[in-house]
Amino acid sequence: VLNTKHRIAIINKIFFFHRHFESTLSLINMVETNEEDKAATRIQAIHRGRATRHHLKKTKVEAKAATKIQAVHRGKAARRRVEALKRGEIPDPGVAKCVLFIQPEGVTYQKTLPLDKSIRELLEMLSEELQLEQNSLSLLHNGKKIKPYTNLAGCGLQDGDVAELELLVEVQQPETSAHQQTGGEEQYLEVEVDFEDGSEPRIIQVFVENVQKGQMPWLGGFRNKRTNVNYLHATCQTDRKPKVYEKDRQFSRDTQTYEVKMRTQQSVRDAGTQMARPDLLLDDNMDREMLSGRYMTSEEHHLLRVKKTIVLQRYSRGWKARKRAAELRRKREERQAFLWAEAERMQAEAEERRRAEIERRMRPRTTADFEILYNELEAWRLQE
């Protein structure tokens, strides 16, 4: 007796084989009527359809498996956190009773919010409850906007506190909108500006001055023969950057408006000089004559620098060579120590194996030990 589910499966299989049989007959007819190209195209389309269906089915199965794995991992993490909270390993941050003043409507909404969740998660929860878009919501505490990656505990709230928060609902407006003022040719743009200090964004009007007073300059164009519409070439309103010559830099604003500071300096001790004269006697016992040394030309100075540079290079190369030699000696000593340790280990293993063989022959315990003794005894008997 077949139920409805089995009957539907059998009917689907019959339809599938029927369609497959009809497509096979049509391909055979194409081949018999010398329509090989159409038959090849039909076969390629069938294979592509099968490959596409298989890929979609595989993608759906992988996505479903990935979603299930993520749900399992999240459940495990939540259960581990709950168990840790019960054991007291993780302190419970608690909750805070918040009174939300929804602006600009002025509506009051009370909600108990956890202290450990981020502001982004709280806004997502509030958007689902209030049926509002999450991007248009923001929380304010003491007149300052709370950053999305922080939490209420970071704002100084503790378990059981009653806090007053402002829930700002921003009306989504276009970024720029142009308006024509009455009685003039000027236009202005309304631009929404966000400030870095955390204050509320403001809309600032930027006036646009129409510098085009007369007829547009003729820059060429073409006319559509079908619609008789003239298309003119356009130009931008930004002037070309002027060329700056070196001789004009001294007349720049920065040069002429540079602030010059004047400072005076008084030495610690006053001093002076006195020249000899007929009515003045000066003591010259402590006077000394200073003679300048030999003048050094640029070629001599260059040769001296080269000589000192060679000396510095010699010392630096010697230091590098000593460092390299010390590194090679260290590696050689490490290699020798490794070889000695390896030789001692192999000798110890050989001695241990020899002792084990002697122990097996002196005190046999297993079948293999007795087999060795029987073989040695048989060999000795044959030799004798």
Side-chain angles (χ1 to χ4, degrees):
V1 179
L2 299 176
N3 54 14
T4 306
K5 184 176 181 181
H6 290 168
R7 291 177 182 176
I8 294 174
I10 293 172
I11 292 171
N12 291 333
K13 288 184 179 180
I14 291 172
F15 282 139
F16 172 75
F17 287 117
H18 181 68
R19 288 195 302 268
H20 183 69
F21 180 72
E22 288 181 352
S23 61
T24 306
L25 289 178
S26 62
L27 290 175
I28 293 172
N29 294 331
M30 288 180 182
V31 174
E32 290 179 355
T33 56
N34 296 326
E35 294 182 357
E36 290 84 358
D37 295 338
K38 293 183 179 180
T41 305
R42 182 72 177 278
I43 293 171
Q44 290 178 359
I46 292 172
H47 284 294
R48 289 172 184 170
R50 290 178 180 176
T52 303
R53 289 191 296 271
H54 178 70
H55 179 68
L56 292 175
K57 185 176 180 181
K58 185 178 180 181
T59 304
K60 290 180 180 178
V61 171
E62 291 178 354
K64 188 181 293 184
T67 305
K68 190 173 182 179
I69 291 172
Q70 289 179 358
V72 171
H73 284 301
R74 290 172 182 171
K76 290 182 179 179
R79 287 192 294 272
R80 286 197 298 266
R81 182 174 179 81
V82 171
E83 292 177 357
L85 288 173
K86 290 181 179 179
R87 292 193 301 267
E89 297 178 358
I90 301 177
D92 189 5
V95 294
K97 298 179 180 179
C98 299
V99 180
L100 302 176
F101 296 95
I102 303 177
Q103 301 294 341
E105 286 78 4
V107 181
T108 304
Y109 180 74
Q110 295 183 2
K111 181 68 176 176
T112 302
L113 301 177
L115 298 177
D116 57 342
K117 287 190 177 182
S118 62
I119 300 300
R120 184 180 291 106
E121 295 177 352
L122 297 180
L123 291 177
E124 183 178 359
M125 180 175 58
L126 292 174
S127 65
E128 293 179 357
E129 293 183 1
L130 301 176
Q131 299 296 324
L132 296 173
E133 293 184 1
Q134 183 180 356
N135 297 331
S136 62
L137 300 180
S138 59
L139 280 177
L140 282 74
H141 181 59
N142 294 331
K144 295 183 179 179
K145 188 176 181 180
I146 308 177
K147 297 181 179 179
Y149 55 85
T150 59
N151 52 19
L152 296 179
C155 299
L157 300 181
Q158 297 180 0
D159 186 14
D161 291 350
V162 178
E164 295 181 356
L165 303 177
E166 294 183 11
L167 181 62
L168 180 61
V169 181
E170 301 176 359
V171 180
Q172 299 295 331
Q173 296 180 353
E175 296 182 358
T176 58
S177 59
H179 300 275
Q180 182 72 28
Q181 290 186 348
T182 59
E185 296 182 356
E186 292 185 351
Q187 295 180 350
Y188 64 91
L189 303 176
E190 291 184 355
V191 183
E192 184 177 357
V193 181
D194 295 331
F195 298 93
E196 297 181 355
D197 56 356
S199 59
E200 298 181 1
R202 292 187 300 174
I203 297 178
I204 299 177
Q205 292 183 355
V206 180
F207 289 90
V208 180
E209 182 181 359
N210 294 325
V211 296
Q212 188 67 34
K213 299 299 182 182
Q215 188 178 3
M216 294 176 58
W218 172 255
L219 300 176
F222 68 96
R223 181 178 62 84
N224 192 346
K225 295 182 180 180
R226 294 181 180 179
T227 59
N228 292 327
V229 178
N230 294 325
Y231 294 93
L232 304 179
H233 297 315
T235 181
C236 61
Q237 61 180 356
T238 305
D239 297 333
R240 183 179 297 178
K241 187 177 181 180
K243 295 182 179 180
V244 180
Y245 298 96
E246 293 295 333
K247 64 179 181 180
D248 297 334
R249 292 185 182 275
Q250 56 184 343
F251 303 110
S252 64
R253 181 183 63 180
D254 297 337
T255 305
Q256 296 179 3
T257 59
Y258 187 78
E259 295 183 1
V260 180
K261 298 180 180 180
M262 302 296 295
R263 295 289 184 270
T264 58
Q265 180 66 32
Q266 179 66 28
S267 60
V268 180
R269 184 175 181 181
D270 297 333
T273 58
Q274 178 65 53
M275 304 300 296
R277 61 188 185 188
D279 59 346
L280 180 63
L281 180 62
L282 296 178
D283 187 10
D284 56 354
N285 293 328
M286 302 298 293
D287 293 347
R288 292 180 298 174
E289 294 182 0
M290 304 295 293
L291 300 177
S292 61
R294 189 179 64 85
Y295 178 75
M296 180 180 292
T297 61
S298 60
E299 290 80 3
E300 294 176 349
H301 180 66
H302 178 67
L303 293 176
L304 180 62
R305 293 185 62 182
V306 171
K307 183 178 179 180
K308 299 301 182 182
T309 304
I310 292 173
V311 174
L312 293 175
Q313 290 179 352
R314 182 174 60 193
Y315 281 106
S316 63
R317 289 170 182 171
W319 171 73
K320 290 183 179 180
R322 289 190 295 272
K323 186 178 180 180
R324 175 65 176 170
E327 183 68 19
L328 293 176
R329 281 195 296 269
R330 184 183 63 80
K331 291 183 179 180
R332 183 188 63 184
E333 292 174 358
E334 291 179 357
R335 180 65 179 174
Q336 290 179 356
F338 172 76
L339 293 177
W340 291 341
E342 193 69 17
E344 291 179 358
R345 185 183 62 81
M346 294 177 64
Q347 185 177 1
E349 290 179 358
E351 184 66 19
E352 185 67 22
R353 286 196 300 270
R354 188 180 67 82
R355 292 180 180 178
E357 292 295 332
I358 295 174
E359 185 68 18
R360 290 179 65 183
R361 286 165 176 77
M362 295 295 295
R363 299 178 182 84
R365 292 184 179 87
T366 62
T367 306
D369 298 342
F370 286 102
E371 187 69 20
I372 292 173
L373 292 177
Y374 289 152
N375 293 336
E376 290 180 355
L377 180 60
E378 185 65 19
W380 174 78
R381 188 182 64 80
L382 293 176
Q383 185 178 3
E384 289 297 329

